[in-house]
């Protein structure tokens, strides 16, 4: 940002460019209260609450001559902050839409595969840390775990001259609105869900253990594996012998939480059994591709965020911890539940209708679907 022409607001896409450029001339100041910042923030931002009596001086000291970009949840407090700062001669702009607006920005990168005729894209959503995937071959593609902002997937498919023929949700999501059913209706693609996750609608094909989805002239096979624990119907998708899309079963820095439904002890046992079985039966070097990333993950990285199964198994103690110890640690270290998760589950089940004007507010907040081993 030029200090002589600092606009009142910076769009989320402009912020993406600033961060990709290293933001050396800009300091990101989150003006929310400390407890809000600790719960959910943009990597690299500093927290200086607007409510503090020495707010202006602290920002001046922190900025050290750099332009200031203020951040809050939806852009209201940050706009008030720049008015205060500008009155004191400090060049400042506000992030339009705040963290909620930042959650509408996506970045994408290719996951390397040996099969040159198959492409696998990882699509990461800023702020929420969610990940979707597109598997493409021979002019057809499968979209896995799409968010409600389906234009992102339609645009990618159009630019790649690829027809969306299948849409999959690996599980019934609790922290964000699924776009799977909407995308299926928009494109005419087959929708695949596991019936064990109890949906109130029936216009989908059952995603069963061992089932296959084929795309392209070569019939590239994507194999379903029932991996219960995070939810009863959680299903992973294996792409040849190179990668597994695991949904929220496990993560690069943690494992899925089992307590967003009833019978959490039963779900925790299933999760333990699932993780141990995967560590035992799959190739240790197979790439794990989760549906979420932990806070602090390098979401703007030009490289795919993935890790071999052996590394994740070692971090989380699959096989090295007894079931009793695993359950004790798992059930006593669950983080706060996602805001509005019960409403989101009802919407994703088809039990409640979604008012699009409420979607952003329902999804507000960080990813809370994983338990990190550091808590163990």
């Amino acid at each position: 940002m030029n200090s002589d022409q600092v606009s009142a607001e910076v769009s989320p896409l402009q912020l993406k460019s600033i961060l990709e450029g290293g933001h050396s001339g800009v300091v990101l100041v989150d003006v929310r209260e400390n407890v809000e910042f600790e719960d959910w923030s943009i990597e690299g931002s500093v927290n200086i609450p607007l409510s503090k009596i020495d707010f202006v001086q602290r920002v001046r000291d922190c900025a050290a001559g750099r332009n200031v970009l203020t951040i809050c949840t939806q852009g209201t407090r940050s706009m008030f902050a720049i008015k205060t700062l500008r009155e004191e001669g400090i060049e400042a702009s506000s992030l339009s839409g705040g963290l909620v607006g930042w959650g509408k920005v996506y970045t994408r990168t290719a996951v390397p595969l040996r099969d040159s005729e198959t492409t696998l894209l990882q699509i990461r959503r800023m702020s929420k840390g969610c990940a979707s995937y597109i598997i493409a071959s021979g002019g057809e593609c499968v979209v896995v775990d799409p968010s409600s902002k389906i234009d992102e997937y339609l645009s990618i498919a159009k630019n790649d001259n690829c027809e969306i023929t299948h849409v999959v949700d690996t599980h019934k999501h609790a922290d964000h609105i699924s776009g799977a059913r909407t995308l299926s209706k928009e494109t005419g693609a087959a929708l695949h869900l596991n019936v064990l996750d109890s949906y109130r609608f029936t216009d989908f094909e059952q995603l069963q253990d061992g089932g296959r989805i084929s795309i392209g002239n070569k019939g590239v096979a994507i194999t379903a594996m029932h991996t219960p624990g995070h939810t009863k119907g959680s299903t992973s998708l294996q792409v040849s012998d190179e990668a597994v899309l695991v949904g929220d079963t496990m993560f690069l820095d943690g494992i899925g939480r089992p307590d967003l439904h009833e019978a959490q002890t039963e779900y925790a046992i299933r999760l333990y059994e699932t993780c141990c079985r995967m560590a035992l039966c799959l190739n240790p070097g197979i790439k794990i591709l989760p549906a979420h990333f932990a806070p602090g993950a390098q979401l703007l990285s030009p490289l795919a965020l993935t890790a071999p199964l052996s590394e994740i198994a070692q971090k989380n103690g699959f096989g090295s911890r007894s079931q009793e110890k695993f359950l004790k640690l798992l059930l006593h270290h669950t983080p706060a539940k996602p805001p509005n998760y019960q409403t989101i589950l009802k919407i994703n089940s088809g039990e409640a209708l979604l008012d699009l004007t409420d979607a952003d507010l329902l999804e507000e907040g960080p990813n809370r679907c994983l338990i990190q081993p550091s808590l163990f």
Side-chain angles (χ1 to χ4, degrees):
M1 290 184 291
N2 187 306
S3 60
D4 295 324
Q5 296 178 320
V6 179
S7 61
E9 290 189 294
V10 167
S11 73
L13 284 176
Q14 288 174 314
L15 173 59
K16 181 173 180 280
S17 297
I18 290 169
L19 293 176
E20 288 174 333
H23 68 92
S24 58
V26 181
V27 59
L28 310 182
V29 177
D30 193 313
V31 302
R32 299 172 300 153
E33 297 304 309
N34 299 133
V35 65
E36 296 175 274
F37 179 80
E38 290 171 1
D39 186 49
W40 186 32
S41 63
I42 294 176
E43 187 74 11
S45 61
V46 295
N47 183 213
I48 305 177
L50 178 61
S51 61
K52 299 299 182 183
I53 193 169
D54 59 347
F55 170 72
V56 172
Q57 187 57 49
R58 289 174 64 183
V59 172
R60 192 188 305 277
D61 293 343
C62 179
R66 294 174 292 174
N67 291 322
V68 173
L69 177 60
T70 59
I71 300 165
C72 66
T73 303
Q74 297 184 51
T76 303
R77 278 177 284 178
S78 58
M79 283 297 292
F80 187 83
I82 69 166
K83 181 177 182 296
T84 302
L85 294 171
R86 288 183 171 194
E87 288 174 351
E88 297 295 328
I90 300 174
E91 297 287 5
S93 298
S94 166
L95 176 61
S96 176
L99 286 168
V100 172
W102 182 233
K104 299 176 184 178
V105 175
Y106 294 77
T107 186
R108 69 189 74 154
T109 188
V111 179
L113 296 176
R114 292 190 299 272
D115 181 0
S116 61
E117 295 188 26
T118 301
T119 60
L120 174 53
L121 286 181
Q122 183 179 75
I123 302 154
R124 303 189 292 259
R125 182 180 174 190
M126 299 293 101
S127 184
K128 289 295 292 183
C130 302
S132 305
Y133 296 89
I134 295 181
I135 309 162
S137 181
E140 297 180 344
C141 67
V142 182
V143 181
V144 181
D145 289 328
S147 75
S148 60
K149 313 297 189 293
I150 66 168
D151 286 349
E152 183 73 17
Y153 314 102
L154 294 172
S155 175
I156 292 173
K158 181 179 180 180
N159 290 340
D160 292 349
N161 195 27
C162 201
E163 179 186 0
I164 299 174
T165 54
H166 301 271
V167 180
V168 182
D169 261 348
T170 56
H171 63 287
K172 185 163 61 180
H173 298 283
D175 72 321
H176 66 275
I177 308 299
S178 168
R181 197 178 182 200
T182 304
L183 185 59
S184 170
K185 290 181 177 179
E186 178 73 18
T187 60
L191 174 62
H192 302 264
L193 304 170
N194 192 315
V195 69
L196 293 177
D197 272 345
S198 302
Y199 295 94
R200 295 296 183 92
F201 51 90
T202 59
D203 53 341
F204 63 88
E205 297 183 16
Q206 292 192 26
L207 192 62
Q208 297 181 328
D209 187 53
R212 290 195 169 193
I213 298 172
S214 296
I215 55 171
N217 298 328
K218 290 179 61 178
V220 174
I222 300 157
T223 305
M225 296 184 294
H226 185 212
T227 50
H230 178 61
T231 70
K232 191 174 184 179
S234 287
T235 302
S236 297
L237 300 175
Q238 183 170 346
V239 183
S240 66
D241 62 345
E242 296 193 65
V244 183
L245 282 59
V246 295
D248 284 2
T249 296
M250 62 179 73
F251 305 95
L252 305 187
D253 296 297
I255 52 178
R257 60 187 302 164
D259 65 325
L260 296 180
H261 308 270
E262 296 179 1
Q264 65 174 357
T265 300
E266 176 189 343
Y267 278 48
I269 292 172
R270 290 186 179 186
L271 183 61
Y272 174 79
E273 293 172 345
T274 288
C275 292
C276 289
R277 185 177 71 252
M278 293 178 75
L280 181 65
C281 298
L282 294 177
N283 178 353
I286 201 165
K287 295 181 178 75
I288 297 299
L289 296 166
H292 282 101
F293 299 102
Q298 300 299 310
L299 298 180
L300 287 170
S301 171
L303 303 176
L305 300 182
T306 182
L309 174 59
S310 58
E311 179 181 313
I312 293 173
Q314 183 177 16
K315 279 184 180 180
N316 292 290
F318 305 155
S320 63
R321 286 192 176 109
S322 67
Q323 177 176 297
E324 181 182 2
K325 185 174 182 180
F326 185 92
L327 296 184
K328 182 178 180 181
L329 293 170
L330 190 64
L331 295 174
H332 287 81
H333 292 86
T334 51
K337 293 181 179 179
N340 307 309
Y341 81 97
Q342 292 175 319
T343 300
I344 291 173
L345 282 173
K346 287 181 179 179
I347 291 170
N348 288 338
S349 297
E351 184 179 345
L353 295 176
L354 170 65
D355 183 340
L356 291 176
T357 59
D358 294 336
D360 292 336
L361 294 179
L362 284 173
E363 295 181 333
E364 183 180 302
N367 163 35
R368 289 200 179 102
C369 284
L370 80 163
I371 300 174
Q372 293 179 269
S374 59
L375 297 176
F376 288 13

